Amino acid sequence: MLKLDKVTKTYRIGTFGSKELHAVSDVSFDIKDGEVVSLIGESGSGKTTIGKMVLHLTPISSGTILLDETDVSALKEDEEKEYYRTVQGVFQDPFSSYNPIFKADRIFEIIHDIFYPDVDEEAWKEKVHKALKDVGLNPEHVLDKFPHQLSGGQLQRFLIARALLLDIKFLVADEIISMLDASTRIDVLNLLAELKKKGLSILFITHDLSLANYISERAVILYRGCIAEMGTTEKIFNSPRHPYTQMLIASVPRLDQKWDKAVTIEENSDPIGYEDGCVYYGRCPLAYEKCRERPVPVEIDTDHFVACWKVTDPHT
Amino acid sequence: MSLKVENLTVYYQTLRGDVQALEDVSFEIADGEIMGLAGESGCGKTTLAHSLIYLSPPMKYVKGSVQLDGRNLPVERMQDMVSFRCNDISIIPQYAMNALNPIRKIGKMIEELVEAKKMDFEAIKPELLRRLDLVKLPREVLDMYPIELSGGMKQRMVMVISTILNPSLLIADEVTSALDVASQKAVAEMLVEFRDQDCTNSMIVVTHDISILYQIADSIMIMYAGQLAEKASTKTIINSPRHPYTKMLISSLPEIGVKYTDKRLEGIPGKPPLLLDPPIGCRFRERCPLAFDKCEEVPPFIEIEENHFVACWKETEDLA
Amino acid sequence: MKKEKKQNELIYFAFRNVKLIIGLAIILFFLVLAVIGPMLTDNDPFDFVNPLGAQPPSSEYWFGTTFFGQDVFSQFVHGLRATFIVGLFGGGLGTLIGILIGFVAGYRGGIVDEILNVLTNIVLVIPTLAVLLIIAAYLEVRSIFTELIFIGFTAWPWTARAIRAQTFSLRTREFVDLAKLSGMKPLRIIFTEIAPNMMSYLLLVFILQFGGAILIAATLDFIGLGPTNAISLGLMMQFSVIWGAMQLGTWWWFIPPGLAITAIVGALYIMNVGLDEVFNPKLREM
């Protein structure tokens, strides 16, 4: 379905773009048909950038993203429309996803106008009603309203319904429930799970490990634009091997056990002098000489990749 | 008893009438208690926290009293509260990271704050340095500008500033919500450390994240639509809640290890009522699977076991 | 339903805003005068109608006559027309250019933005007056039209900068991304998604441009670079000063145009502050 191959995003910063900032470096992973893959990372890890590159909202600096046969990096402006027929995104902030001065259902009208100009008014209305019912909304209650009259959960379902109006095969869900209340977020999550059952592939971007674990089969852990660890969720969550993943999982507040006091780790100290080394070098308790070289993800077990010399270097 | 709030009612003034954001709230916090205040957005938890320290328009005091260490807090008079703020009651605001003046060095800023409270900065400095150590900030930060600090560092800096005068009550308003899991854990643990080191007597931790509270709070108070729903020890709230809202809320939280294929969690259908014109009686009634006739009256917030308060007729009808 | 409420709210605050009402009343008063004034008099502003020369206001010549016996009232109302035309179209042109450049630069970003930015900065630092002196020296006949064109083409840079900054911040909002995902073309995104969110701001910009254009026109006229074939408030002031109205004490010659320019520009600025309060809830007095 989706295949990322050595995808890199570089921003030029400083005076006259003298410095380069690697938002995403050499990220490769793939998503199979009907699979939910979680992309997990802290703020600044590049997870949103990857989502935007897949959606062709941000240009790719190098590497390729293939969606089935389509090369996303080579997409021309007039091919975008066809691409968006099959690939759609839903974003974090439901309120900022709507133009505040228009009614919320305007997002459906735009789809009608651009993708289905031949469908008549009546048939379209029926299609919208069906899509809304599919996402668990009552059309009577939610149509003809302004965004601020709807709840965050309703707005996010609206956006999913919008995606369903198209024949999408792939959905990028970028932190779509992080701004929702606890009592409604799980419903939106369940909705994604149902869509997956119908064959939709989903890239689920999140910073919340328990949500990722709940919904996805596979997970990719991202740190500062590099993949730290990836594989099936069971392997990642039950036997994490990368020190960063281990720290993350130990830091998640759980309802069944209290934090282990010992594992609090100092946050970002920049790896000055070793910019080409492992991105986790500055924070890693296990760092040693070898880590001044950048490790690449290595398969240590079936579908379990780790980018850490401590785990993959045979000499240690 | 550190804090005692009785029948506190606070509304928001809008053009279309008063939003009844906080209705008849009564509770107590013991000495040294860290109370978690949880609920969904719009439930009134932030209104409650702000009412205790900074009740300013469009917020409008309606009725009720607040006592701190046996003294009456004049929450309804902004001016009279000045002498209590920072000295007796202090807050770490939600967007604390942006609360620092960008063009002032941090040390200078603290000095001005301390002097505004008519105290000698030099006398406080040793304690200030000790607290920096406590939150694991290098002492050099005093000579730095806020922009030189990371989000988590700024958050910890504001924690130090807020507690430098040893308030009796510290309110932490969503201090962990904008942070990454690792810094979230660090900040949460430091809150406990502050209490343990007597930087503050008791604490209210406002958050929407109940799992954080499970890690650090002694007790948890759940609010719904401007009313109190339940208050009990952390263990009781998580393991044997009695209010239907608390039960549904806790069971809707995904945890590590839970997958939808094994155990499908359910949310709470419906949405909270608009507080401009709230329903009479129990405000959870519309979404409550157990609601019955009696729920058209406001349920009292009653102690059903020691230190376990619930506002639900199903639980308290026999007691009331 | 909610939108009506919101509009009602705006109208409610608009009618309660004293600054806005005062400003609007002054502008409307002068506008009406500019529209119907010329119909109240048969005298051509340049005709020498009074053989007696400078005479104070009387029932025949409401605002008196000039040194040459021209009807000041006729000059005043015709000049008022010219002033509104310059303000409306000169200011309008400046707003339009500013908006277009600001939108494109802000939305496209990158190299397009850099080029437009350089252009904006160049126009911003051009000494307008000096350029006009040169142009004036080459143009034998200058009309109000050339004047407003010139004003429009030099007054846009600050508008472009302000709009660019606003567009930048709106462009990162998620509904713009969503519009792209709907296959919308950039121009359509700018005009249907971004622009409507800036309507109040655009109105404020236009009012400021309007006032600015009137002031610049008055300045140009006063130093003798105004139209050669028409009358305007600034020209009236220039003539009165050249022919010693001050020294001769013919106050009726220069007071009306001076007062009108001050009142109109002042009223526009007061209106701007008032409108700002209406649109921005944070500035409203509760």
Side-chain angles (χ1 to χ4, degrees), chain B residues 193-205:
Chain B
E193 194 65 22
F194 269 51
R195 191 267 318 264
D196 293 348
Q197 300 266 342
D198 280 329
C199 302
T200 178
N201 179 7
S202 50
M203 202 182 297
I204 298 179
V205 179

Side-chain angles (χ1 to χ4, degrees), chain C residues 47-69:
Chain C
D47 275 356
F48 309 112
V49 287
N50 191 351
L52 297 173
Q55 289 293 316
S58 63
S59 59
E60 200 187 345
Y61 304 108
W62 295 345
F63 281 18
T65 48
T66 69
F67 187 72
F68 309 101

Side-chain angles (χ1 to χ4, degrees), chain B residues 243-264:
Chain B
H243 194 287
Y245 174 65
T246 320
K247 285 182 195 166
M248 293 169 87
L249 191 64
I250 303 274
S251 66
S252 72
L253 300 175
E255 283 177 66
I256 280 206
V258 175
K259 284 184 88 78
Y260 76 97
T261 36
D262 313 331
K263 179 183 163 197
R264 197 188 146 100

Side-chain angles (χ1 to χ4, degrees), chain A residues 52 55 57 77 84 88-89 91-93 96-102 106 110-111 113-115 146 148-149 159 162, chain C residues 1-4 6 108 172-186 188 192-197:
Chain A
K52 288 204 165 179
L55 288 170
L57 293 173
E77 198 165 305
Y84 291 141
Q88 278 295 325
F91 307 112
Q92 175 171 18
D93 183 352
S96 119
S97 294
Y98 292 81
N99 203 331
I101 55 173
F102 298 115
R106 179 164 170 274
I110 292 173
I111 298 287
D113 188 30
I114 293 178
F115 290 97
F146 282 95
H148 60 261
Q149 291 172 292
L159 289 172
R162 168 187 167 281
Chain C
M1 174 209 131
K2 187 71 184 190
K3 189 164 190 186
E4 274 165 30
K6 198 172 171 201
R108 277 286 163 166
T172 55
R173 298 274 289 277
E174 287 166 347
F175 63 79
V176 174
D177 277 342
L178 209 66
K180 282 187 213 157
L181 291 187
S182 302
M184 271 170 125
K185 295 273 185 290
R188 188 167 164 192
T192 63
E193 300 289 328
I194 293 178
N197 276 289

